[in-house]
Amino acid sequence: MSQYQFAPLLSDYLVYAMLLAAIGLGVAAHRSPANRAALRQIASRDVPAAAGVVLVAFLIIGLLDSIHLREPLADTPSDQTHRYHMEAQSLLDLLLRDLRARTETSYSAPFALYGFSKEMTFDENGEALWRYPRLTHAGDGIDDPDQHTGDILRRVITATAAGSLLCALVVCLSCTLLARRWRLPF
């Protein structure tokens, strides 16, 4: 298993300092009964609670983007200490590596199979042709452009089902937590 090296940037230290300051302020505010009552009143309202959820999502993404690691080089012999890449990548970059790697040279339109601008390409016989090139990652898994509409439909149905299932799970979890909080049978 590859061992990553922790490589924080100067800006990361500032984020960590702000996080520690926020935690310290939160602990200090939690110790005061008046502050606890005020925070409880704010959290019981809909708009501040929703804003808090959005803020927490941004904080999680920001923290993932402020933890930088360097990958070990693949060609390091086992009897030597690890050598690492010069580029430090954030934890968010590593989690979204597949998304980062699936880029195209140009984009033409949503759900398009072919590029926006013509390029010099070569056919099976090695003959040079000036044409719109097939995008590398668009329509993965289909060979025939006639299958494109079916592929889009399949992906939309799959994404809709996954999103609906996730939404139903969140609603059930929320209802359960609210029922416990208000001591209602559920």
Side-chain angles (χ1 to χ4, degrees):
M1 183 173 149
S2 61
Q3 302 243 343
Y4 289 89
Q5 182 184 45
F6 183 63
L9 304 175
L10 184 60
S11 60
D12 295 343
Y13 288 119
L14 295 173
V15 170
Y16 303 151
M18 287 191 317
L19 180 65
L20 287 175
I23 291 171
L25 285 172
V27 168
H30 190 68
R31 288 184 180 166
S32 166
N35 286 341
R36 251 194 331 263
L39 289 174
R40 199 173 296 122
Q41 185 179 11
I42 290 171
S44 67
R45 295 194 176 130
D46 295 340
V47 174
V53 169
V54 172
L55 182 64
V56 166
F58 276 102
L59 284 173
I60 289 171
I61 291 171
L63 285 175
L64 287 175
D65 202 32
S66 65
I67 299 172
H68 285 86
L69 305 168
R70 293 190 323 167
E71 286 185 279
L73 294 172
D75 61 350
T76 304
S78 60
D79 59 338
Q80 290 184 350
T81 58
H82 288 288
R83 293 184 301 176
Y84 297 94
H85 284 279
M86 291 299 298
E87 179 187 6
Q89 293 183 338
S90 73
L91 197 54
L92 185 64
D93 291 335
L94 293 173
L95 290 172
L96 300 175
R97 177 182 291 163
D98 188 44
L99 189 65
R100 187 177 179 190
R102 296 173 56 93
T103 58
E104 301 283 355
T105 56
S106 71
Y107 295 93
S108 56
F111 306 116
L113 289 176
Y114 295 95
F116 177 70
S117 56
K118 287 187 176 183
E119 295 178 9
M120 186 64 68
T121 59
F122 298 94
D123 65 2
E124 300 83 26
N125 300 329
E127 188 176 326
L129 299 172
W130 186 252
R131 63 181 173 185
Y132 296 103
R134 171 81 189 252
L135 295 174
T136 307
H137 302 289
D140 279 348
I142 62 168
D143 297 324
D144 185 14
D146 293 336
Q147 298 173 340
H148 187 57
T149 304
D151 181 56
I152 291 172
L153 189 60
R154 180 185 54 82
R155 290 175 188 254
V156 166
I157 290 171
T158 303
T160 302
S164 299
L165 184 64
L166 183 64
C167 184
L169 189 68
V170 168
V171 166
C172 287
L173 182 65
S174 299
C175 289
T176 304
L177 292 174
L178 288 174
R180 279 189 187 169
R181 181 178 179 185
W182 293 327
R183 291 179 171 77
L184 297 173
F186 184 69

